[in-house]
Amino acid sequence: MIVEKKVFELPEFRTSGGQLIKNVRIGWESYGTLNADRSNAILIAHYFSGTSHAAGRHAKEDVFPGYWDALIGPGKAIDTDRYFVFSSDTLVNLNARDPHVITTGPASINPDTGKSYGLDFPLVTIRDFAAVQKALVDYLGIRRLHAVMGPSMGGLQTLAWAAIYPDMMDRIVPVICAGEVDAWLIAWLGLWGAPIIADPAWKNGAYALDEQPLAGLKLALELVTLQANHWIWADTQFGRTFAEPGADPGNALRNYFKAQTVVSGIAAERAKISDANHLLYLVKANQTFAVGPTGTVADLEKIKARTLLLYSPEDQVFRAAKSRATAAAIAKGGAEVETAEIHGPFGHANGLFAMAPLGEKIREFLAA
């Protein structure tokens, strides 16, 4: 599929904290056709470092398709011959410098000053991400969604949708997530952002757009990349191979293992299209995740939608026990809930790269 990037605009948006943001612009993509009664829409919410690019390619020459391309498309588990599938970039999207991403956040121009917001941009929450998506849904004239689904932070958004707008969807598929961000993950998220804050080039968030703290941002993305994967992946891919043949890391400080240089290279490429302040805002949004109106796990019991919760036992971000507890809390409220495990070598990222074996289960769940 060749995908067209579209823009949704709101003259103003008031955050859950009561702050006003003017001229909100977010990018969105869709796959398939909305039917006459607008009843076949499936919303896909993206993960922490993801974008609205869930499937297809922006151009034929693109090397990689969207992250769930194995699931979304004609005849696939999320069948675009049957469903209208759409996804939007969140506020404060990490990839603010990617030409295919349209987002509003600290790197955006404040219409009141003509300069980028920096840390003057209001803090936002997962609930705010869902609220902007709700505005897009209303704009499209969709009264009820066939399903809401997404991995990781997309799963948090899915749970927020189901708790805040319980009568607006038939089904949800939260993937590699849980109903709360616990103390362990709060601390890890803080470490994700710490290298940026420690970089003198950060300048308390007041860096020029062409002088962002790349050293801190790159190191932050190394931490994100490593934690989102698994030692099975690292051991299988690299073992103890030297980065340079014959350059034994035991002989010099600047001799490295291949595992180090690959993770560093991935982070360096991602840093080119990312924004440091946006990463910090995403960290805060995830740390403060509140699933519903009261901001407690009890809000999971407000969910009415049929639920298929997919989790990975190898996940090092959202522990499997937390995912299972989330499913139990939703079921306690009376909703129909089933779970399934995602297995693979990628840990948390199994929810992106090891989903194909779950395709038939997802197809059946959406069709039931």
Side-chain angles (χ1 to χ4, degrees):
M1 297 183 295
I2 300 301
V3 181
E4 175 193 358
K5 192 76 179 192
K6 306 165 191 174
V7 183
F8 174 62
E9 299 184 85
L10 286 170
E12 59 182 37
F13 172 77
R14 193 166 293 279
T15 71
S16 55
Q19 300 298 304
L20 190 68
I21 306 172
K22 298 178 182 178
N23 300 349
V24 169
R25 301 177 78 247
I26 60 163
W28 66 287
E29 300 182 4
S30 64
Y31 328 96
T33 304
L34 192 60
N35 62 10
D37 63 0
R38 290 170 157 71
S39 63
N40 68 333
I42 296 177
L43 171 64
I44 308 291
H46 67 71
Y47 56 101
F48 183 96
S49 60
T51 74
S52 62
H53 194 39
R57 286 172 166 82
H58 292 124
K60 289 182 180 180
E61 59 269 20
D62 287 357
V63 176
F64 299 111
Y67 62 89
W68 264 6
D69 192 72
L71 297 177
I72 301 169
K76 296 181 182 180
I78 307 171
D79 190 351
T80 53
D81 288 335
R82 181 171 184 175
Y83 304 113
F84 173 74
V85 184
F86 67 112
S87 179
S88 61
D89 299 324
T90 59
L91 295 170
V92 303
N93 189 281
L94 176 62
N95 307 276
R97 297 161 189 261
D98 184 336
H100 292 297
V101 170
I102 301 163
T103 186
T104 302
S108 303
I109 299 301
N110 182 342
D112 293 334
T113 66
K115 301 177 181 178
S116 58
Y117 280 99
L119 299 194
D120 289 335
F121 195 79
L123 291 177
V124 291
T125 64
I126 301 295
R127 292 178 62 192
D128 292 326
F129 298 169
V132 173
Q133 292 162 348
K134 170 66 163 53
L136 173 60
V137 168
D138 292 343
Y139 166 77
L140 293 172
I142 299 168
R143 295 181 178 274
R144 188 176 180 86
L145 292 158
H146 185 77
V148 181
M149 27 191 333
S152 193
M153 189 181 81
L156 303 187
Q157 293 169 77
T158 298
L159 293 171
W161 257 96
I164 298 167
Y165 313 111
D167 298 312
M168 276 203 67
M169 75 289 297
D170 298 317
R171 303 160 183 79
I172 59 170
V173 186
V175 181
I176 51 170
C177 67
E180 71 172 2
V181 171
D182 61 15
W184 178 255
L185 182 50
I186 287 170
W188 264 111
L189 285 162
L191 288 177
W192 288 7
I196 292 171
I197 294 172
D199 188 336
W202 181 55
K203 298 180 180 178
N204 199 33
Y207 55 86
L209 290 180
D210 59 349
E211 296 178 351
Q212 72 163 330
L214 278 175
L217 177 58
K218 176 180 168 294
L219 183 53
L221 291 170
E222 287 188 48
L223 290 171
V224 175
T225 300
L226 197 58
Q227 193 186 5
N229 278 282
H230 198 276
W231 58 78
I232 299 172
W233 163 78
D235 287 350
T236 302
Q237 290 292 314
F238 314 117
R240 293 180 58 83
T241 305
F242 301 166
E244 298 292 338
D248 186 339
N251 292 338
L253 281 174
R254 293 188 180 276
N255 288 356
Y256 302 107
F257 288 98
K258 188 174 181 180
Q260 292 176 276
T261 57
V262 169
V263 170
S264 178
I266 292 170
E269 287 302 308
R270 296 176 74 180
K272 292 176 182 177
I273 57 172
S274 300
D275 184 84
N277 282 338
H278 282 230
L279 188 146
L280 295 176
Y281 273 66
L282 283 169
V283 162
K284 184 65 72 173
N286 281 265
Q287 286 176 319
T288 59
F289 171 60
V291 70
T294 70
T296 67
V297 178
D299 284 329
L300 291 168
E301 297 177 27
K302 296 183 171 75
I303 293 174
K304 300 178 182 179
R306 290 182 57 233
T307 301
L308 172 61
L309 191 148
L310 305 178
Y311 67 95
S312 175
E314 295 81 23
D315 197 331
Q316 298 186 94
V317 178
F318 287 101
R319 288 174 284 157
K322 291 292 185 179
S323 297
R324 290 192 292 265
T326 297
I330 297 171
K332 185 178 178 181
E336 181 182 338
V337 181
E338 60 179 306
T339 64
E341 295 183 352
I342 316 164
H343 291 283
F346 306 108
H348 183 63
N350 283 336
L352 302 179
F353 307 130
M355 291 289 288
L358 277 297
E360 195 55 38
K361 177 173 282 291
I362 292 169
R363 183 196 303 275
E364 292 172 358
F365 178 78
L366 293 176

